[in-house]
Amino acid sequence: MSRARAIEVLQRALRRLPGVGPKGARRMAFHLLERDREGAREITAALTRALDGVVHCKRCNNFSEAELCEICASAKRNARQLCVVETPADLQTVEQAGVYDGLYFVLMGKLSPLDGVGPEDLHLHRLGEVCRDNAVEEMILATNQTTEGEATADYIGDLARALNLKITRLARGLPAGAELEYVDPGTLQRAFLDRREL
Amino acid sequence: MSRARAIEVLQRALRRLPGVGPKGARRMAFHLLERDREGAREITAALTRALDGVVHCKRCNNFSEAELCEICASAKRNARQLCVVETPADLQTVEQAGVYDGLYFVLMGKLSPLDGVGPEDLHLHRLGEVCRDNAVEEMILATNQTTEGEATADYIGDLARALNLKITRLARGLPAGAELEYVDPGTLQRAFLDRREL
């Protein structure tokens, strides 16, 4: 390792990024060194800062730089609603859409027996606490529309019934801008089943 | 900037990588923080080392940690051949193929009038020197088979004629494993023009 050339070490390191193979890593390494050393310094600084500063919010599990994340700590959020998502990326997507102002609970995963992920890995023992502490009235299950996401939602739904809450699941149907011609059968079936009266 | 959250700063920084958009940067940031902090540290260390240590070889322009790159400094390379490539990535590809043991000259670009890249940007004034210093007998033009790569090869070919060298261009034709049915007309035309006697 000590004799490996810096540029090869860099290429190998960049391959640890998800979705980056040998060619992508090479392109990145050469681009940074040849055209964007400023960018390389920016990445180094940002990584160092994030590694040092980012922990998990002790209430919702989201990434945070403080004990409580900004959302959990905010007085402006509607504490009567709790949206359960699989990952911080999902949370960020909902936040960026600006369609929800309640609290979150981030599972940091989904039930996946094949990968050895069971209920105990999803911090579910803390979900009840969070609901009681915040006087949550509605739990919105926003796990993915995949087999595992559905199973996770069902499991949490069953658990949460004991908490005496309103439990909802995000609507399924045609995405915005959908052209019927290109919609898959599963989506179409759901769109028919859950059709609404005008 | 000082109040931006570390994770957003990190996502913004990762977007400076070529081919990485907002979703890719988010995926990378979350992956590193959640699943691979070791990888993040490896990337930081590798970037720092490369930024500090990597310069250009003063003879062939390739990336190097010393004044002369390993290839230029090696006594094992055939100094009678000089392969002219556009980028260090091209050089690396040729090296990895293990089909050439001569020296290189890296243009760090190609003639591209539309982008304002002229002969003076390609270190061409040093190409003659390098040829004379190494007693080069053959210059192999290995620029890309693109309009700009071809124009660059033609231009350098004209220049190099004054050096009284053998000047060659990499063979063009069918790639290894090609199925005729799927070969484009330009490649096929070249394959017919340059056909060889058995």
Side-chain angles (χ1 to χ4, degrees), chain A residues 1-14 16-20 23-24 26-56 62-63 65 70-71 87-90 92-93 96 108, chain B residues 1-14 16-20 23-24 26-56 62-63 65 70-71 87-90 92-93 96 108:
Chain A
M1 185 83 171
S2 74
R3 249 333 287 151
R5 281 167 287 178
I7 195 137
E8 282 162 11
V9 172
L10 176 58
Q11 288 180 54
R12 209 179 311 129
L14 288 169
R16 295 192 75 151
L17 293 170
V20 176
K23 302 234 163 169
R26 179 163 76 186
R27 185 165 152 236
M28 287 173 175
F30 287 173
H31 173 87
L32 290 177
L33 286 172
E34 183 55 25
R35 280 185 246 280
D36 196 10
R37 289 192 173 224
E38 187 47 52
R41 271 183 284 272
E42 188 179 325
I43 293 170
T44 307
L47 274 174
T48 305
R49 177 175 162 195
L51 282 171
D52 289 346
V54 175
V55 294
H56 288 286
N62 190 18
F63 289 126
E65 284 172 86
E70 289 185 14
I71 294 173
T87 64
D90 295 339
Q92 202 177 70
T93 304
Q96 282 169 353
M108 300 307 287
Chain B
M1 187 81 174
S2 75
R3 250 335 285 151
R5 280 167 288 179
I7 194 138
E8 282 161 12
V9 173
L10 176 57
Q11 289 180 53
R12 208 178 314 130
L14 289 169
R16 296 191 74 150
L17 294 169
V20 175
K23 302 235 163 170
R26 178 162 78 188
R27 184 164 152 237
M28 287 174 175
F30 287 173
H31 173 86
L32 290 177
L33 286 171
E34 184 56 27
R35 280 186 244 281
D36 196 12
R37 289 192 172 225
E38 188 46 53
R41 271 184 282 273
E42 188 179 324
I43 292 169
T44 307
L47 275 174
T48 305
R49 176 175 162 196
L51 282 172
D52 289 347
V54 174
V55 293
H56 288 286
N62 190 20
F63 289 125
E65 284 170 87
E70 289 185 14
I71 293 173
T87 65
D90 295 339
Q92 203 177 66
T93 304
Q96 281 169 354
M108 300 307 285

Side-chain angles (χ1 to χ4, degrees), chain B residues 2-196:
Chain B
S2 75
R3 250 335 285 151
R5 280 167 288 179
I7 194 138
E8 282 161 12
V9 173
L10 176 57
Q11 289 180 53
R12 208 178 314 130
L14 289 169
R15 288 190 58 186
R16 296 191 74 150
L17 294 169
V20 175
K23 302 235 163 170
R26 178 162 78 188
R27 184 164 152 237
M28 287 174 175
F30 287 173
H31 173 86
L32 290 177
L33 286 171
E34 184 56 27
R35 280 186 244 281
D36 196 12
R37 289 192 172 225
E38 188 46 53
R41 271 184 282 273
E42 188 179 324
I43 292 169
T44 307
L47 275 174
T48 305
R49 176 175 162 196
L51 282 172
D52 289 347
V54 174
V55 293
H56 288 286
C57 171
K58 70 171 184 152
R59 192 190 285 165
C60 77
N61 299 320
N62 190 20
F63 289 125
S64 169
E65 284 170 87
E67 237 188 23
L68 281 187
C69 72
E70 289 185 14
I71 293 173
C72 283
S74 165
K76 290 193 191 132
R77 307 291 301 208
N78 174 0
R80 294 187 304 280
Q81 292 185 314
L82 185 81
C83 178
V84 179
V85 294
E86 293 181 16
T87 65
D90 295 339
L91 184 156
Q92 203 177 66
T93 304
V94 177
E95 280 300 290
Q96 281 169 354
V99 293
Y100 174 73
D101 72 345
L103 301 176
Y104 291 92
F105 188 82
V106 184
L107 299 170
M108 300 307 285
K110 58 197 170 223
L111 289 183
S112 177
L114 287 179
D115 301 321
V117 181
E120 64 288 354
D121 298 307
L122 299 183
H123 311 281
L124 291 185
H125 58 285
R126 281 188 26 241
L127 185 54
E129 264 171 56
V130 171
C131 289
R132 277 184 295 265
D133 291 354
N134 292 285
V136 169
E137 293 168 10
E138 176 179 1
M139 180 185 293
I140 302 168
L141 297 171
T143 53
N144 289 334
Q145 301 289 349
T146 58
T147 313
E148 290 160 339
E150 296 276 14
T152 307
D154 287 345
Y155 185 91
I156 298 177
D158 287 344
L159 270 189
R161 249 174 278 285
L163 296 167
N164 204 16
L165 298 171
K166 181 172 169 189
I167 302 167
T168 57
R169 181 101 174 95
L170 290 188
R172 289 174 292 186
L174 303 174
E179 298 189 54
L180 228 55
E181 183 180 351
Y182 302 109
V183 170
D184 66 287
T187 300
L188 210 50
Q189 183 189 29
R190 183 49 62 177
F192 270 90
L193 282 175
D194 292 354
R195 67 193 182 277
R196 298 181 49 183

Side-chain angles (χ1 to χ4, degrees), chain A residues 2-167:
Chain A
S2 74
R3 249 333 287 151
R5 281 167 287 178
I7 195 137
E8 282 162 11
V9 172
L10 176 58
Q11 288 180 54
R12 209 179 311 129
L14 288 169
R15 289 190 57 185
R16 295 192 75 151
L17 293 170
V20 176
K23 302 234 163 169
R26 179 163 76 186
R27 185 165 152 236
M28 287 173 175
F30 287 173
H31 173 87
L32 290 177
L33 286 172
E34 183 55 25
R35 280 185 246 280
D36 196 10
R37 289 192 173 224
E38 187 47 52
R41 271 183 284 272
E42 188 179 325
I43 293 170
T44 307
L47 274 174
T48 305
R49 177 175 162 195
L51 282 171
D52 289 346
V54 175
V55 294
H56 288 286
C57 170
K58 70 172 183 151
R59 194 190 282 165
C60 78
N61 299 321
N62 190 18
F63 289 126
S64 169
E65 284 172 86
E67 240 190 17
L68 282 186
C69 72
E70 289 185 14
I71 294 173
C72 283
S74 165
K76 290 192 192 133
R77 307 292 298 208
N78 174 1
R80 295 187 304 280
Q81 291 185 315
L82 186 82
C83 178
V84 179
V85 294
E86 294 180 15
T87 64
D90 295 339
L91 183 156
Q92 202 177 70
T93 304
V94 177
E95 280 299 291
Q96 282 169 353
V99 293
Y100 174 73
D101 72 344
L103 301 175
Y104 291 92
F105 188 83
V106 184
L107 298 170
M108 300 307 287
K110 58 198 170 223
L111 291 181
S112 177
L114 288 179
D115 301 320
V117 181
E120 64 287 351
D121 298 306
L122 300 184
H123 311 280
L124 290 183
H125 58 284
R126 281 188 26 240
L127 185 55
E129 264 172 56
V130 171
C131 289
R132 277 184 296 266
D133 291 355
N134 292 285
V136 169
E137 293 167 11
E138 177 181 0
M139 181 186 292
I140 301 167
L141 298 171
T143 53
N144 289 333
Q145 301 290 350
T146 56
T147 314
E148 288 161 340
E150 296 276 14
T152 308
D154 287 346
Y155 185 90
I156 298 177
D158 287 344
L159 272 189
R161 248 174 278 286
L163 297 166
N164 205 17
L165 298 171
K166 181 172 167 190
I167 302 167

